[in-house]
PDB file of all heavy atoms in Angstrom:
ATOM      1  N   GLU A 223     -14.250   0.762  -0.918  1.00  0.00           N
ATOM      2  CA  GLU A 223     -14.888   0.254  -1.957  1.00  0.00           C
ATOM      3  C   GLU A 223     -14.318   0.482  -3.218  1.00  0.00           C
ATOM      4  O   GLU A 223     -14.272  -0.290  -4.221  1.00  0.00           O
ATOM      5  CB  GLU A 223     -16.391   0.711  -1.886  1.00  0.00           C
ATOM      6  CG  GLU A 223     -17.115   0.195  -0.647  1.00  0.00           C
ATOM      7  CD  GLU A 223     -18.480   0.775  -0.498  1.00  0.00           C
ATOM      8  OE1 GLU A 223     -18.714   1.933  -0.942  1.00  0.00           O
ATOM      9  OE2 GLU A 223     -19.291   0.279   0.311  1.00  0.00           O
ATOM     10  N   ARG A 224     -13.714   1.708  -3.365  1.00  0.00           N
ATOM     11  CA  ARG A 224     -13.069   2.157  -4.682  1.00  0.00           C
ATOM     12  C   ARG A 224     -11.902   1.311  -4.951  1.00  0.00           C
ATOM     13  O   ARG A 224     -11.620   0.926  -6.034  1.00  0.00           O
ATOM     14  CB  ARG A 224     -12.719   3.555  -4.585  1.00  0.00           C
ATOM     15  CG  ARG A 224     -12.366   4.257  -5.972  1.00  0.00           C
ATOM     16  CD  ARG A 224     -12.072   5.785  -5.867  1.00  0.00           C
ATOM     17  NE  ARG A 224     -13.157   6.356  -5.216  1.00  0.00           N
ATOM     18  CZ  ARG A 224     -13.053   7.420  -4.320  1.00  0.00           C
ATOM     19  NH1 ARG A 224     -11.722   7.816  -4.097  1.00  0.00           N
ATOM     20  NH2 ARG A 224     -13.981   7.909  -3.735  1.00  0.00           N
ATOM     21  N   ILE A 225     -11.125   1.004  -3.825  1.00  0.00           N
ATOM     22  CA  ILE A 225      -9.870   0.174  -4.013  1.00  0.00           C
ATOM     23  C   ILE A 225     -10.265  -1.175  -4.347  1.00  0.00           C
ATOM     24  O   ILE A 225      -9.722  -1.918  -5.332  1.00  0.00           O
ATOM     25  CB  ILE A 225      -9.016   0.148  -2.749  1.00  0.00           C
ATOM     26  CG1 ILE A 225      -8.431   1.507  -2.420  1.00  0.00           C
ATOM     27  CG2 ILE A 225      -7.987  -0.921  -2.745  1.00  0.00           C
ATOM     28  CD1 ILE A 225      -7.384   1.915  -3.401  1.00  0.00           C
ATOM     29  N   ALA A 226     -11.292  -1.852  -3.719  1.00  0.00           N
ATOM     30  CA  ALA A 226     -11.658  -3.202  -3.972  1.00  0.00           C
ATOM     31  C   ALA A 226     -12.247  -3.198  -5.497  1.00  0.00           C
ATOM     32  O   ALA A 226     -12.001  -4.138  -6.209  1.00  0.00           O
ATOM     33  CB  ALA A 226     -12.698  -3.649  -3.064  1.00  0.00           C
ATOM     34  N   GLY A 227     -13.004  -2.205  -5.832  1.00  0.00           N
ATOM     35  CA  GLY A 227     -13.469  -2.109  -7.212  1.00  0.00           C
ATOM     36  C   GLY A 227     -12.460  -1.968  -8.301  1.00  0.00           C
ATOM     37  O   GLY A 227     -12.469  -2.419  -9.326  1.00  0.00           O
ATOM     38  N   THR A 228     -11.320  -1.207  -8.000  1.00  0.00           N
ATOM     39  CA  THR A 228     -10.227  -1.163  -8.832  1.00  0.00           C
ATOM     40  C   THR A 228      -9.545  -2.481  -9.061  1.00  0.00           C
ATOM     41  O   THR A 228      -9.307  -2.837 -10.193  1.00  0.00           O
ATOM     42  CB  THR A 228      -9.113  -0.102  -8.208  1.00  0.00           C
ATOM     43  OG1 THR A 228      -9.714   1.141  -8.153  1.00  0.00           O
ATOM     44  CG2 THR A 228      -7.829  -0.075  -9.078  1.00  0.00           C
ATOM     45  N   VAL A 229      -9.308  -3.261  -8.069  1.00  0.00           N
ATOM     46  CA  VAL A 229      -8.757  -4.640  -8.218  1.00  0.00           C
ATOM     47  C   VAL A 229      -9.687  -5.455  -9.049  1.00  0.00           C
ATOM     48  O   VAL A 229      -9.333  -6.172  -9.950  1.00  0.00           O
ATOM     49  CB  VAL A 229      -8.500  -5.279  -6.856  1.00  0.00           C
ATOM     50  CG1 VAL A 229      -8.025  -6.670  -6.956  1.00  0.00           C
ATOM     51  CG2 VAL A 229      -7.444  -4.415  -6.129  1.00  0.00           C
ATOM     52  N   ARG A 230     -10.967  -5.377  -8.760  1.00  0.00           N
ATOM     53  CA  ARG A 230     -11.960  -6.152  -9.491  1.00  0.00           C
ATOM     54  C   ARG A 230     -11.987  -5.888 -11.057  1.00  0.00           C
ATOM     55  O   ARG A 230     -12.176  -6.685 -11.909  1.00  0.00           O
ATOM     56  CB  ARG A 230     -13.367  -5.945  -8.964  1.00  0.00           C
ATOM     57  CG  ARG A 230     -14.458  -6.885  -9.599  1.00  0.00           C
ATOM     58  CD  ARG A 230     -15.802  -6.634  -8.789  1.00  0.00           C
ATOM     59  NE  ARG A 230     -16.164  -5.194  -8.860  1.00  0.00           N
ATOM     60  CZ  ARG A 230     -17.251  -4.604  -8.157  1.00  0.00           C
ATOM     61  NH1 ARG A 230     -17.912  -5.409  -7.362  1.00  0.00           N
ATOM     62  NH2 ARG A 230     -17.599  -3.362  -8.269  1.00  0.00           N
ATOM     63  N   GLU A 231     -11.841  -4.539 -11.317  1.00  0.00           N
ATOM     64  CA  GLU A 231     -11.838  -4.130 -12.735  1.00  0.00           C
ATOM     65  C   GLU A 231     -10.401  -4.285 -13.383  1.00  0.00           C
ATOM     66  O   GLU A 231     -10.449  -4.181 -14.638  1.00  0.00           O
ATOM     67  CB  GLU A 231     -12.231  -2.549 -12.749  1.00  0.00           C
ATOM     68  CG  GLU A 231     -13.646  -2.335 -12.231  1.00  0.00           C
ATOM     69  CD  GLU A 231     -14.680  -2.926 -13.095  1.00  0.00           C
ATOM     70  OE1 GLU A 231     -14.546  -3.112 -14.291  1.00  0.00           O
ATOM     71  OE2 GLU A 231     -15.728  -3.324 -12.562  1.00  0.00           O
ATOM     72  N   SER A 232      -9.442  -4.444 -12.730  1.00  0.00           N
ATOM     73  CA  SER A 232      -8.124  -4.644 -13.152  1.00  0.00           C
ATOM     74  C   SER A 232      -8.094  -5.927 -14.146  1.00  0.00           C
ATOM     75  O   SER A 232      -8.546  -6.845 -13.796  1.00  0.00           O
ATOM     76  CB  SER A 232      -7.018  -4.619 -12.121  1.00  0.00           C
ATOM     77  OG  SER A 232      -5.750  -4.947 -12.718  1.00  0.00           O
ATOM     78  N   ARG A 233      -7.151  -5.753 -15.179  1.00  0.00           N
ATOM     79  CA  ARG A 233      -6.810  -6.890 -16.108  1.00  0.00           C
ATOM     80  C   ARG A 233      -5.431  -7.368 -15.888  1.00  0.00           C
ATOM     81  O   ARG A 233      -4.987  -8.253 -16.473  1.00  0.00           O
ATOM     82  CB  ARG A 233      -7.050  -6.495 -17.446  1.00  0.00           C
ATOM     83  CG  ARG A 233      -8.414  -6.062 -17.756  1.00  0.00           C
ATOM     84  CD  ARG A 233      -8.698  -5.498 -19.126  1.00  0.00           C
ATOM     85  NE  ARG A 233     -10.004  -4.733 -19.155  1.00  0.00           N
ATOM     86  CZ  ARG A 233     -10.357  -4.155 -20.269  1.00  0.00           C
ATOM     87  NH1 ARG A 233      -9.673  -4.084 -21.393  1.00  0.00           N
ATOM     88  NH2 ARG A 233     -11.494  -3.526 -20.244  1.00  0.00           N
ATOM     89  N   GLU A 234      -4.597  -6.633 -14.905  1.00  0.00           N
ATOM     90  CA  GLU A 234      -3.226  -6.958 -14.756  1.00  0.00           C
ATOM     91  C   GLU A 234      -2.796  -7.309 -13.289  1.00  0.00           C
ATOM     92  O   GLU A 234      -1.992  -8.063 -13.061  1.00  0.00           O
ATOM     93  CB  GLU A 234      -2.427  -5.767 -15.230  1.00  0.00           C
ATOM     94  CG  GLU A 234      -2.466  -5.350 -16.555  1.00  0.00           C
ATOM     95  CD  GLU A 234      -1.728  -6.270 -17.603  1.00  0.00           C
ATOM     96  OE1 GLU A 234      -0.918  -7.028 -17.125  1.00  0.00           O
ATOM     97  OE2 GLU A 234      -2.008  -6.112 -18.808  1.00  0.00           O
ATOM     98  N   LEU A 235      -3.586  -6.759 -12.288  1.00  0.00           N
ATOM     99  CA  LEU A 235      -3.217  -6.993 -10.879  1.00  0.00           C
ATOM    100  C   LEU A 235      -3.622  -8.454 -10.481  1.00  0.00           C
ATOM    101  O   LEU A 235      -4.610  -8.937 -10.888  1.00  0.00           O
ATOM    102  CB  LEU A 235      -3.986  -6.066 -10.045  1.00  0.00           C
ATOM    103  CG  LEU A 235      -3.563  -4.579 -10.081  1.00  0.00           C
ATOM    104  CD1 LEU A 235      -4.600  -3.758  -9.360  1.00  0.00           C
ATOM    105  CD2 LEU A 235      -2.235  -4.303  -9.480  1.00  0.00           C
ATOM    106  N   PRO A 236      -2.610  -9.125  -9.833  1.00  0.00           N
ATOM    107  CA  PRO A 236      -2.772 -10.599  -9.679  1.00  0.00           C
ATOM    108  C   PRO A 236      -3.526 -10.834  -8.231  1.00  0.00           C
ATOM    109  O   PRO A 236      -3.710 -11.985  -7.817  1.00  0.00           O
ATOM    110  CB  PRO A 236      -1.413 -11.158  -9.491  1.00  0.00           C
ATOM    111  CG  PRO A 236      -0.511  -9.933  -9.087  1.00  0.00           C
ATOM    112  CD  PRO A 236      -1.215  -8.693  -9.661  1.00  0.00           C
ATOM    113  N   PHE A 237      -3.971  -9.748  -7.626  1.00  0.00           N
ATOM    114  CA  PHE A 237      -4.716  -9.901  -6.229  1.00  0.00           C
ATOM    115  C   PHE A 237      -5.940 -10.852  -6.525  1.00  0.00           C
ATOM    116  O   PHE A 237      -6.713 -10.569  -7.467  1.00  0.00           O
ATOM    117  CB  PHE A 237      -5.168  -8.628  -5.739  1.00  0.00           C
ATOM    118  CG  PHE A 237      -3.924  -7.746  -5.287  1.00  0.00           C
ATOM    119  CD1 PHE A 237      -3.848  -6.398  -5.716  1.00  0.00           C
ATOM    120  CD2 PHE A 237      -3.079  -8.089  -4.420  1.00  0.00           C
ATOM    121  CE1 PHE A 237      -2.809  -5.644  -5.422  1.00  0.00           C
ATOM    122  CE2 PHE A 237      -1.919  -7.350  -4.059  1.00  0.00           C
ATOM    123  CZ  PHE A 237      -1.908  -6.031  -4.564  1.00  0.00           C
ATOM    124  N   GLU A 238      -6.218 -11.701  -5.528  1.00  0.00           N
ATOM    125  CA  GLU A 238      -7.428 -12.422  -5.498  1.00  0.00           C
ATOM    126  C   GLU A 238      -8.247 -12.075  -4.298  1.00  0.00           C
ATOM    127  O   GLU A 238      -9.483 -12.560  -4.280  1.00  0.00           O
ATOM    128  CB  GLU A 238      -7.010 -14.030  -5.306  1.00  0.00           C
ATOM    129  CG  GLU A 238      -6.099 -14.507  -6.458  1.00  0.00           C
ATOM    130  CD  GLU A 238      -5.479 -15.774  -6.227  1.00  0.00           C
ATOM    131  OE1 GLU A 238      -5.908 -16.377  -5.248  1.00  0.00           O
ATOM    132  OE2 GLU A 238      -4.711 -16.268  -7.002  1.00  0.00           O
ATOM    133  N   ARG A 239      -7.739 -11.295  -3.436  1.00  0.00           N
ATOM    134  CA  ARG A 239      -8.509 -11.030  -2.286  1.00  0.00           C
ATOM    135  C   ARG A 239      -7.936  -9.508  -1.689  1.00  0.00           C
ATOM    136  O   ARG A 239      -6.740  -9.259  -1.815  1.00  0.00           O
ATOM    137  CB  ARG A 239      -8.212 -12.065  -1.114  1.00  0.00           C
ATOM    138  CG  ARG A 239      -8.803 -11.695   0.340  1.00  0.00           C
ATOM    139  CD  ARG A 239      -8.592 -12.962   0.995  1.00  0.00           C
ATOM    140  NE  ARG A 239      -8.676 -12.742   2.543  1.00  0.00           N
ATOM    141  CZ  ARG A 239      -9.771 -12.654   3.189  1.00  0.00           C
ATOM    142  NH1 ARG A 239     -10.902 -12.834   2.683  1.00  0.00           N
ATOM    143  NH2 ARG A 239      -9.664 -12.492   4.533  1.00  0.00           N
ATOM    144  N   VAL A 240      -8.873  -8.671  -1.277  1.00  0.00           N
ATOM    145  CA  VAL A 240      -8.555  -7.460  -0.712  1.00  0.00           C
ATOM    146  C   VAL A 240      -9.210  -7.245   0.643  1.00  0.00           C
ATOM    147  O   VAL A 240     -10.467  -7.628   0.801  1.00  0.00           O
ATOM    148  CB  VAL A 240      -8.966  -6.299  -1.632  1.00  0.00           C
ATOM    149  CG1 VAL A 240      -8.862  -4.943  -1.034  1.00  0.00           C
ATOM    150  CG2 VAL A 240      -8.336  -6.322  -3.029  1.00  0.00           C
ATOM    151  N   VAL A 241      -8.444  -6.856   1.634  1.00  0.00           N
ATOM    152  CA  VAL A 241      -8.997  -6.583   2.949  1.00  0.00           C
ATOM    153  C   VAL A 241      -8.573  -5.284   3.385  1.00  0.00           C
ATOM    154  O   VAL A 241      -7.416  -4.925   3.321  1.00  0.00           O
ATOM    155  CB  VAL A 241      -8.452  -7.499   4.005  1.00  0.00           C
ATOM    156  CG1 VAL A 241      -9.020  -7.270   5.467  1.00  0.00           C
ATOM    157  CG2 VAL A 241      -9.004  -9.010   3.763  1.00  0.00           C
ATOM    158  N   MET A 242      -9.543  -4.439   3.582  1.00  0.00           N
ATOM    159  CA  MET A 242      -9.354  -2.905   3.998  1.00  0.00           C
ATOM    160  C   MET A 242      -9.859  -2.684   5.355  1.00  0.00           C
ATOM    161  O   MET A 242     -10.985  -3.119   5.690  1.00  0.00           O
ATOM    162  CB  MET A 242      -9.974  -2.002   2.919  1.00  0.00           C
ATOM    163  CG  MET A 242      -9.526  -2.221   1.555  1.00  0.00           C
ATOM    164  SD  MET A 242      -7.939  -1.601   1.164  1.00  0.00           S
ATOM    165  CE  MET A 242      -8.209   0.156   1.215  1.00  0.00           C
ATOM    166  N   ALA A 243      -9.098  -1.931   6.235  1.00  0.00           N
ATOM    167  CA  ALA A 243      -9.476  -1.634   7.584  1.00  0.00           C
ATOM    168  C   ALA A 243      -9.335  -0.133   7.755  1.00  0.00           C
ATOM    169  O   ALA A 243      -8.440   0.503   7.118  1.00  0.00           O
ATOM    170  CB  ALA A 243      -8.823  -2.374   8.627  1.00  0.00           C
ATOM    171  N   GLN A 244     -10.083   0.504   8.619  1.00  0.00           N
ATOM    172  CA  GLN A 244      -9.977   1.841   8.954  1.00  0.00           C
ATOM    173  C   GLN A 244      -8.578   2.107   9.595  1.00  0.00           C
ATOM    174  O   GLN A 244      -8.365   1.404  10.608  1.00  0.00           O
ATOM    175  CB  GLN A 244     -11.098   2.367   9.770  1.00  0.00           C
ATOM    176  CG  GLN A 244     -12.313   2.826   9.000  1.00  0.00           C
ATOM    177  CD  GLN A 244     -13.452   3.353   9.810  1.00  0.00           C
ATOM    178  OE1 GLN A 244     -13.898   2.701  10.755  1.00  0.00           O
ATOM    179  NE2 GLN A 244     -13.733   4.626   9.636  1.00  0.00           N
ATOM    180  N   GLY A 245      -7.753   2.852   9.078  1.00  0.00           N
ATOM    181  CA  GLY A 245      -6.384   3.005   9.584  1.00  0.00           C
ATOM    182  C   GLY A 245      -6.132   4.387  10.220  1.00  0.00           C
ATOM    183  O   GLY A 245      -6.973   5.408   9.879  1.00  0.00           O
ATOM    184  N   MET A 246      -5.109   4.533  10.934  1.00  0.00           N
ATOM    185  CA  MET A 246      -4.814   5.908  11.618  1.00  0.00           C
ATOM    186  C   MET A 246      -4.031   6.565  10.614  1.00  0.00           C
ATOM    187  O   MET A 246      -2.967   6.145   9.965  1.00  0.00           O
ATOM    188  CB  MET A 246      -3.906   5.471  12.844  1.00  0.00           C
ATOM    189  CG  MET A 246      -4.665   4.861  13.963  1.00  0.00           C
ATOM    190  SD  MET A 246      -3.749   4.688  15.506  1.00  0.00           S
ATOM    191  CE  MET A 246      -2.620   3.393  14.872  1.00  0.00           C
ATOM    192  N   GLU A 247      -4.453   7.736  10.423  1.00  0.00           N
ATOM    193  CA  GLU A 247      -3.745   8.832   9.492  1.00  0.00           C
ATOM    194  C   GLU A 247      -3.634   8.236   8.010  1.00  0.00           C
ATOM    195  O   GLU A 247      -2.717   8.528   7.338  1.00  0.00           O
ATOM    196  CB  GLU A 247      -2.352   9.033   9.940  1.00  0.00           C
ATOM    197  CG  GLU A 247      -2.231   9.631  11.426  1.00  0.00           C
ATOM    198  CD  GLU A 247      -0.806   9.981  11.809  1.00  0.00           C
ATOM    199  OE1 GLU A 247      -0.186  10.746  11.109  1.00  0.00           O
ATOM    200  OE2 GLU A 247      -0.359   9.375  12.747  1.00  0.00           O
ATOM    201  N   GLY A 248      -4.648   7.467   7.631  1.00  0.00           N
ATOM    202  CA  GLY A 248      -4.604   6.885   6.314  1.00  0.00           C
ATOM    203  C   GLY A 248      -3.590   5.827   6.030  1.00  0.00           C
ATOM    204  O   GLY A 248      -3.377   5.357   4.921  1.00  0.00           O
ATOM    205  N   TYR A 249      -2.852   5.399   7.051  1.00  0.00           N
ATOM    206  CA  TYR A 249      -1.864   4.350   7.031  1.00  0.00           C
ATOM    207  C   TYR A 249      -2.408   2.988   7.300  1.00  0.00           C
ATOM    208  O   TYR A 249      -3.637   2.772   7.787  1.00  0.00           O
ATOM    209  CB  TYR A 249      -0.645   4.599   7.952  1.00  0.00           C
ATOM    210  CG  TYR A 249       0.611   4.397   7.377  1.00  0.00           C
ATOM    211  CD1 TYR A 249       1.065   5.113   6.339  1.00  0.00           C
ATOM    212  CD2 TYR A 249       1.475   3.375   7.908  1.00  0.00           C
ATOM    213  CE1 TYR A 249       2.358   4.883   5.832  1.00  0.00           C
ATOM    214  CE2 TYR A 249       2.729   3.116   7.379  1.00  0.00           C
ATOM    215  CZ  TYR A 249       3.165   3.815   6.301  1.00  0.00           C
ATOM    216  OH  TYR A 249       4.356   3.533   5.727  1.00  0.00           O
ATOM    217  N   ASP A 250      -1.715   1.831   7.097  1.00  0.00           N
ATOM    218  CA  ASP A 250      -2.265   0.526   7.483  1.00  0.00           C
ATOM    219  C   ASP A 250      -2.086   0.042   8.791  1.00  0.00           C
ATOM    220  O   ASP A 250      -1.826  -1.054   8.980  1.00  0.00           O
ATOM    221  CB  ASP A 250      -1.603  -0.419   6.324  1.00  0.00           C
ATOM    222  CG  ASP A 250      -0.205  -0.680   6.504  1.00  0.00           C
ATOM    223  OD1 ASP A 250       0.388  -0.018   7.307  1.00  0.00           O
ATOM    224  OD2 ASP A 250       0.401  -1.491   5.752  1.00  0.00           O
ATOM    225  N   ASP A 251      -2.057   1.036   9.770  1.00  0.00           N
ATOM    226  CA  ASP A 251      -2.132   0.749  11.186  1.00  0.00           C
ATOM    227  C   ASP A 251      -3.557   0.886  11.704  1.00  0.00           C
ATOM    228  O   ASP A 251      -4.185   1.926  11.500  1.00  0.00           O
ATOM    229  CB  ASP A 251      -1.174   1.628  11.989  1.00  0.00           C
ATOM    230  CG  ASP A 251       0.223   1.457  11.727  1.00  0.00           C
ATOM    231  OD1 ASP A 251       0.659   0.239  11.607  1.00  0.00           O
ATOM    232  OD2 ASP A 251       0.916   2.409  11.643  1.00  0.00           O
ATOM    233  N   VAL A 252      -4.199  -0.262  12.087  1.00  0.00           N
ATOM    234  CA  VAL A 252      -5.622  -0.257  12.386  1.00  0.00           C
ATOM    235  C   VAL A 252      -5.955   0.613  13.485  1.00  0.00           C
ATOM    236  O   VAL A 252      -5.358   0.788  14.520  1.00  0.00           O
ATOM    237  CB  VAL A 252      -6.049  -1.697  12.658  1.00  0.00           C
ATOM    238  CG1 VAL A 252      -7.558  -1.715  13.035  1.00  0.00           C
ATOM    239  CG2 VAL A 252      -5.718  -2.596  11.520  1.00  0.00           C
ATOM    240  N   ARG A 253      -7.229   1.408  13.296  1.00  0.00           N
ATOM    241  CA  ARG A 253      -7.594   2.381  14.235  1.00  0.00           C
ATOM    242  C   ARG A 253      -8.238   1.670  15.342  1.00  0.00           C
ATOM    243  O   ARG A 253      -9.154   0.740  15.127  1.00  0.00           O
ATOM    244  CB  ARG A 253      -8.627   3.322  13.512  1.00  0.00           C
ATOM    245  CG  ARG A 253      -9.098   4.364  14.432  1.00  0.00           C
ATOM    246  CD  ARG A 253     -10.108   5.191  13.718  1.00  0.00           C
ATOM    247  NE  ARG A 253     -11.471   4.601  13.668  1.00  0.00           N
ATOM    248  CZ  ARG A 253     -12.574   5.068  13.118  1.00  0.00           C
ATOM    249  NH1 ARG A 253     -12.462   6.353  12.575  1.00  0.00           N
ATOM    250  NH2 ARG A 253     -13.723   4.436  13.080  1.00  0.00           N
TER     251      ARG A 253
END
Side-chain angles (χ1 to χ4, degrees):
E223 293 171 340
R224 195 176 309 141
I225 292 294
T228 297
V229 174
R230 185 176 59 191
E231 297 296 327
S232 168
R233 304 171 192 178
E234 301 282 348
L235 291 170
F237 294 124
E238 301 167 4
R239 173 173 160 85
V240 175
V241 177
M242 304 284 289
Q244 279 183 296
M246 294 181 288
E247 303 182 61
Y249 219 67
D250 63 359
D251 293 321
V252 177
R253 186 181 77 175

